[in-house]
């Protein structure tokens, strides 16, 4: 037996410490000591931080921590209290959609006609039928036109009709704040839509504003170039030492985007993504441009409508798989993708592409993962809602249950990796917690910061955690709190 140099008295003291720990049912360690030589468990450290942190005064915090292998809850603070999840809602949407639709699921877009092709003419209407694909890019429409050209079509004698009836006509989720609906994260949802780039913010255009000469208007460019959006440029270039104060917004109910305020001379271009009004028309505009490039003309009008059941299929385009789509969805916290996945689940399960039926399908699947639907209030798929309410224990239960699914490797691969500077890996955690082994989903809306996922302790023990902070004055302070809590969770026994 090892005897401490101080003698038998040390063993007596150690025995008393063990007795006190057992009697109080608190996990104590002889190695985790603070500056005063006192032993602290993870529970004590977390409780101390939560109750003493001044940034949490007047706010609410819920924490749930489980062992990853057993699902046993090892720490809880207001774990069964419902909180606004912000983008932690995407964990539920990702898990249920990949379960309902399958990891190899692909969205499709069709070119159809009610006519015939003869001597370079399509004698009838051309239908562009959207089925929810959020990955259609400007170059996809060039490909559509090239396919028509390859069919020897030089002229369309009828109309060009965009069919978005795969989903319902409700464009915005029920709790969308009116001031958010012109930003990329509040984009409208249509079964026929366009993404400006491979972040797949469907239903948006990208603006780039470059300063001009002092006293002159800056240059405003738009991608993709289109005739659907009108730019009203009222901004002015000022001296380089002045502070930038640009306002970029779309007028409600229109596609007029105004750029006003000041931009300093020689400043790096400012980029902003703006949501369009009615994405179906946006897609049709890009198709028109693509047809012109191929010298394909048409006789009729370009409009929205529905393809007849008996229409003939000319071409089908398929998206990437759902497993691949989860990467931009989760890494970049893409709201548009979340709402599209909800509507797609509704279409698959109940034959109706709506939020109402999609959320029913989502909740039905959550029951399979052991979540009590009666304790959840779910209003959308992205978490932008300030009405949605979920307790931290429900999120950790979900994260424990999905580990058993065959598609779990695709799910966990989609989660941001703390401290990895590669945007396609680190995502929204690429600048946070570089020294910790954490893979988790972030969440931020006004007054809310959340973080839930998987962490590995210094002794390699794997944990599941959910930290949900509500009623913050500054939601950015929530990220500091989350990172500090993770430090305690990982480093304390």
């Amino acid at each position: 037996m090892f005897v401490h140099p101080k003698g038998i008295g040390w063993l007596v003291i150690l025995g008393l410490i063990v007795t006190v720990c057992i009697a109080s049912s608190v996990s104590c360690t002889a190695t985790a000591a603070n500056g005063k030589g006192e032993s602290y468990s993870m529970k004590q450290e977390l409780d101390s931080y939560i109750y003493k942190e001044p940034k949490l005064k007047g706010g609410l915090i819920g924490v749930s921590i489980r062992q990853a292998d057993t699902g046993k809850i090892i720490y809880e603070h207001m774990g069964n209290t419902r909180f606004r999840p912000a983008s932690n809602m995407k964990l539920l949407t990702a898990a249920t959609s990949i379960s309902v639709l399958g990891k190899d699921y692909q969205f499709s877009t069709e070119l159809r006609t009610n006519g015939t092709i003869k001597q370079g003419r399509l004698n009838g209407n051309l239908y562009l039928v959207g089925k929810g694909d959020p990955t259609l890019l400007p170059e996809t429409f060039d490909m559509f036109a090239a396919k028509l050209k390859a069919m020897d079509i030089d002229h369309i004698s009828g109309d060009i009709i965009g069919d978005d009836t795969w989903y319902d006509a409700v464009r915005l989720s029920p709790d969308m704040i009116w001031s958010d609906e012109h930003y990329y994260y509040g984009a409208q949802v249509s079964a026929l839509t366009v993404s400006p780039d491979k972040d797949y913010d469907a239903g948006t255009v990208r603006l780039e504003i470059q300063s001009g000469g002092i006293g002159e208007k800056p240059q405003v460019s738009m991608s993709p170039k289109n005739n659907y959006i009108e730019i009203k440029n009222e901004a002015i270039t000022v001296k380089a030492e002045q502070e930038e104060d640009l306002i970029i917004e779309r007028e409600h109910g229109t596609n007029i985007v105004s750029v006003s305020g000041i931009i300093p001379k020689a400043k790096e271009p400012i980029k902003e993504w703006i949501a369009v009004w009615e994405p179906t028309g946006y897609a049709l505009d890009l198709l028109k441009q693509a047809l012109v490039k191929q010298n394909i003309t048409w006789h009729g009008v370009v409009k929205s409508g529905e393809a007849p059941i008996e229409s003939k299929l000319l071409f089908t385009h398929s998206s990437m798989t759902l497993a691949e789509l989860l990467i931009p969805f989760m890494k970049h916290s893409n709201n548009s993708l979340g709402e599209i996945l909800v509507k797609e689940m509704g279409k698959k399960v109940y034959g109706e592409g709506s939020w109402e039926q999609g959320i029913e399908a989502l909740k039905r699947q959550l029951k399979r993962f052991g979540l009590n639907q009666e304790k959840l209030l779910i209003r959308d798929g992205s978490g932008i809602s300030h009405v949605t309410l979920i307790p931290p224990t429900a999120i950790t239960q979900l994260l424990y249950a999905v580990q058993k699914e065959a598609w779990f490797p695709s799910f966990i691969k989609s989660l941001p990796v703390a401290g990895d500077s590669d945007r396609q890996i680190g995502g929204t955690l690429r600048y946070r917690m570089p020294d910790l082994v954490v893979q988790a989903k972030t969440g931020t809306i006004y007054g809310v910061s959340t973080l839930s996922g998987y962490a590995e302790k210094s002794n390699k023990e794997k944990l599941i955690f959910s930290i949900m902070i509500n009623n913050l004055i500054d939601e950015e302070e929530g990220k500091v709190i989350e990172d500090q809590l993770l430090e305690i969770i990982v480093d304390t026994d």
Side-chain angles (χ1 to χ4, degrees):
M1 175 183 292
F2 174 77
V3 179
H4 193 276
K6 294 284 186 180
I8 250 352
W10 167 254
L11 295 178
V12 173
I13 293 170
L14 182 60
L16 289 172
I17 292 173
V18 171
T19 302
V20 170
C21 289
I22 294 173
S24 61
S25 298
V26 175
S27 171
C28 296
T29 66
T31 58
N34 66 6
K36 298 179 180 178
E38 297 170 292
S39 296
Y40 274 78
S41 68
M42 181 177 72
K43 171 177 169 49
Q44 289 171 311
E45 291 277 9
L46 290 173
D47 283 348
S48 177
Y49 180 82
I50 288 170
Y51 287 114
K52 292 179 181 179
E53 173 53 59
K55 296 184 182 71
L56 286 171
K57 297 296 184 183
L60 295 172
I61 181 168
V63 181
S64 174
I65 304 173
R66 296 177 189 262
Q67 293 175 334
D69 55 349
T70 67
K72 178 184 177 182
I73 293 177
I74 58 174
Y75 180 81
E76 189 175 81
H77 177 86
M78 296 181 69
N80 290 309
T81 300
R82 287 180 283 272
F83 289 80
R84 288 169 286 164
S87 284
N88 274 201
M89 178 63 214
K90 292 182 174 71
L91 291 164
L92 283 66
T93 303
T96 55
S97 63
I98 200 170
S99 184
V100 170
L101 303 173
K103 68 182 182 66
D104 297 321
Y105 187 80
Q106 293 174 283
F107 293 87
S108 64
T109 307
E110 300 173 347
L111 291 174
R112 306 184 73 91
T113 185
N114 61 349
T116 58
I117 302 170
K118 188 175 182 180
Q119 295 181 338
R121 295 174 66 91
L122 174 58
N123 297 300
N125 298 328
L126 175 68
Y127 297 93
L128 177 63
V129 182
K131 293 188 174 181
D133 187 356
T135 70
L136 296 181
L137 298 167
E139 52 263 38
T140 312
F141 293 85
D142 291 335
M143 181 267 292
F144 287 158
K147 290 290 184 182
L148 293 172
K149 194 70 172 181
M151 298 175 195
D152 295 324
I153 297 174
D154 295 318
H155 181 77
I156 300 166
S157 65
D159 299 328
I160 298 173
I161 300 173
D163 184 344
D164 60 19
T165 58
W166 186 252
Y167 297 156
D168 66 6
V170 179
R171 298 294 189 228
L172 296 172
S173 56
D175 306 317
M176 178 68 66
I177 298 173
W178 69 268
S179 58
D180 283 346
E181 59 102 20
H182 67 271
Y183 291 114
Y184 72 96
Y185 54 81
Q188 296 186 11
V189 175
S190 169
L192 182 56
T193 191
V194 185
S195 293
D197 52 42
K198 291 186 178 179
D199 276 3
Y200 303 114
D201 292 304
T204 70
V205 293
R206 185 178 67 234
L207 300 185
E208 188 170 298
I209 300 95
Q210 176 66 64
S211 63
I214 294 176
E216 297 177 351
K217 292 183 177 182
Q219 297 175 352
V220 181
S221 60
M222 178 167 50
S223 178
K225 293 180 179 179
N226 64 85
N227 298 312
Y228 199 61
I229 303 294
E230 177 187 343
I231 303 295
K232 187 188 295 182
N233 183 4
E234 298 174 344
I236 295 294
T237 303
V238 296
K239 294 179 181 179
E241 57 268 25
Q242 288 188 246
E243 188 176 348
E244 175 224 310
D245 185 17
L246 271 183
I247 300 172
I248 306 167
E249 55 189 6
R250 176 177 53 76
E251 297 178 14
H252 177 74
T254 76
N255 280 305
I256 300 172
V257 175
S258 64
V259 181
S260 60
I262 59 175
I263 180 171
K265 173 70 176 173
K267 182 178 174 65
E268 286 293 313
I270 294 171
K271 297 179 182 180
E272 184 64 81
W273 283 254
I274 295 292
V276 306
W277 186 267
E278 283 296 338
T280 301
Y282 175 32
L284 285 171
D285 185 81
L286 293 189
L287 180 60
K288 286 194 300 181
Q289 291 185 55
L291 293 174
V292 170
K293 291 177 189 176
Q294 292 291 340
N295 295 314
I296 298 175
T297 58
W298 59 92
H299 176 73
V301 298
V302 179
K303 62 182 182 179
S304 296
E306 186 172 1
I309 295 175
E310 66 275 10
S311 61
K312 176 185 174 183
L313 179 65
L314 297 175
F315 176 71
T316 299
H317 168 74
S318 297
S319 73
M320 64 180 68
T321 65
L322 179 53
E324 295 170 309
L325 189 61
L326 287 186
I327 299 295
F329 174 43
M330 301 292 273
K331 300 285 190 185
H332 310 323
S333 204
N334 187 310
N335 287 352
S336 297
L337 297 182
E339 308 308 350
I340 285 170
L341 289 173
V342 165
K343 287 200 173 189
E344 194 67 13
M345 283 191 281
K347 188 71 175 181
K348 174 72 177 288
V349 176
Y350 297 112
E352 179 182 300
S354 66
W355 270 287
E356 182 180 7
Q357 295 303 323
I359 289 170
E360 282 302 313
L362 180 149
K363 289 167 66 177
R364 189 175 81 167
Q365 194 63 28
L366 290 178
K367 185 176 180 180
R368 178 173 170 263
F369 296 136
L371 277 68
N372 186 345
Q373 298 180 46
E374 296 179 359
K375 293 185 178 181
L376 311 176
L377 176 57
I378 298 175
R379 300 271 290 180
D380 65 9
S382 68
I384 199 170
S385 169
H386 281 259
V387 178
T388 292
L389 295 170
I390 302 170
T393 52
I395 291 183
T396 57
Q397 168 60 32
L398 173 78
L399 294 176
Y400 170 69
V402 298
Q403 295 178 113
K404 305 170 186 177
E405 301 293 331
W407 42 258
F408 178 69
S410 297
F411 176 82
I412 195 167
K413 183 180 179 181
S414 74
L415 296 181
V417 178
D420 195 308
S421 60
D422 187 331
R423 188 167 176 266
Q424 299 304 318
I425 299 174
T428 54
L429 282 180
R430 62 190 181 279
Y431 303 126
R432 296 173 60 182
M433 300 176 288
D435 299 324
L436 302 185
V437 180
V438 173
Q439 217 167 338
K441 183 71 197 74
T442 56
T444 308
I445 54 176
Y446 295 118
V448 173
S449 184
T450 56
L451 184 68
S452 301
Y454 304 89
E456 185 177 288
K457 292 174 69 69
S458 52
N459 64 5
K460 303 302 181 182
E461 179 186 4
K462 292 179 173 57
L463 300 178
I464 297 168
F465 69 90
S466 178
I467 303 169
M468 307 180 77
I469 313 174
N470 283 196
N471 298 357
L472 289 163
I473 298 298
D474 180 0
E475 58 272 3
E476 291 303 309
E477 291 184 341
K479 296 175 174 56
V480 177
I481 295 168
E482 291 158 2
D483 292 1
Q484 184 58 48
L485 288 173
L486 259 298
E487 289 274 2
I488 295 171
I489 291 167
V490 168
D491 292 338
T492 311
D493 292 332

